[in-house]
Amino acid sequence: MAAPERDMAGFIRTHTRVGSPLLCPELRLHLITAECHLWRAGEAEVQALGIPEPYWAFCWAGGQALARHLLDHPQLARGRRVLDFGSGGAVEGIAAARAGAACVLAVDIDPWAAEAARMNAALNGVALSTATRDPIGEGCEEHELVLAGDVAYEPAFAGRVLAWLRSLAGQGREVLLADPGRGYLATADLEALANLRAPADVDDDARHLRETTVYRVRP
């Protein structure tokens, strides 16, 4: 059973450290680092704490790369209504807000991610809204820019996500997707906008960098 929502913020503060991702030193996030107890905790211990796997507490390569791209090219988000899909700790949504987005909605199926996103936004002095649901299949008519960082982590899910993102692009949304080359994303028809070297999964010391590409999704 998950901990009550009123305990989420306190748990996150206790079990994370505030730090900056390698590619976005101007941002501050609640992260699990090597000095945190949860860094060494196994699956059974995490379950005993009453929380799901804390994916929201790591700044994955795709998220970092997409956030960096938005910070370097603020015109992509400025004045736009933004959806951060599979947001986790919402590094992309926070970058969009910093770039001048009109509003940002961070969507994730995990309520812990929503709490972390709100806390991270507060750390960076920006505002965003959160929603806890799976939006795949929705039209997202209220959004003009859709962000998806590092969501192609399993073959069947990657195909489902890409089909949905293509449908949104076909409806006139601008869709940006970043992936660190896990091999599950069909990239042949995607428009590569930037290549960055981001830390590999849970690489706290940034010793192992992997090429990560930011794409524009075409219909």
Side-chain angles (χ1 to χ4, degrees), residues 8-178:
M8 287 183 181
F11 184 97
I12 291 170
R13 289 191 187 96
T14 299
H15 291 277
T16 63
R17 297 293 181 268
V18 173
S20 297
L22 177 70
L23 296 185
C24 306
E26 61 267 65
L27 301 183
R28 301 169 71 229
L29 305 171
H30 290 277
L31 301 171
I32 291 175
T33 66
E35 61 187 10
C36 300
H37 174 72
L38 281 177
W39 183 270
R40 299 175 295 279
E43 183 177 352
E45 189 172 356
V46 171
Q47 290 178 348
L49 288 170
I51 65 170
E53 288 288 338
Y55 298 117
W56 45 266
F58 298 93
C59 197
W60 306 96
Q64 287 198 45
L66 184 47
R68 182 71 263 160
H69 191 69
L70 291 168
L71 292 168
D72 289 343
H73 304 277
Q75 71 278 7
L76 291 169
R78 187 180 297 126
R80 291 175 128 182
R81 295 165 293 169
V82 177
L83 174 68
D84 182 359
F85 164 69
S87 56
V91 65
E92 309 100 331
I94 290 166
R98 286 281 295 267
C103 61
V104 177
L105 176 64
V107 179
D108 198 289
I109 61 172
D110 185 356
W112 287 85
E115 183 66 29
R118 292 189 291 267
M119 294 173 67
N120 288 338
L123 275 177
N124 291 279
V126 299
L128 56 73
S129 301
T130 61
T132 306
R133 66 174 190 273
D134 179 358
I136 296 177
E138 297 179 6
C140 302
E141 292 84 358
E142 67 273 27
H143 298 104
E144 299 155 304
L145 175 64
V146 178
L147 309 174
D150 224 327
V151 295
Y153 47 78
E154 187 274 331
F157 185 70
R160 180 174 170 239
V161 168
L162 186 56
W164 174 61
L165 294 178
R166 287 191 188 281
S167 73
L168 295 181
Q171 296 165 30
R173 315 283 176 269
E174 181 159 19
V175 182
L176 302 181
L177 166 67

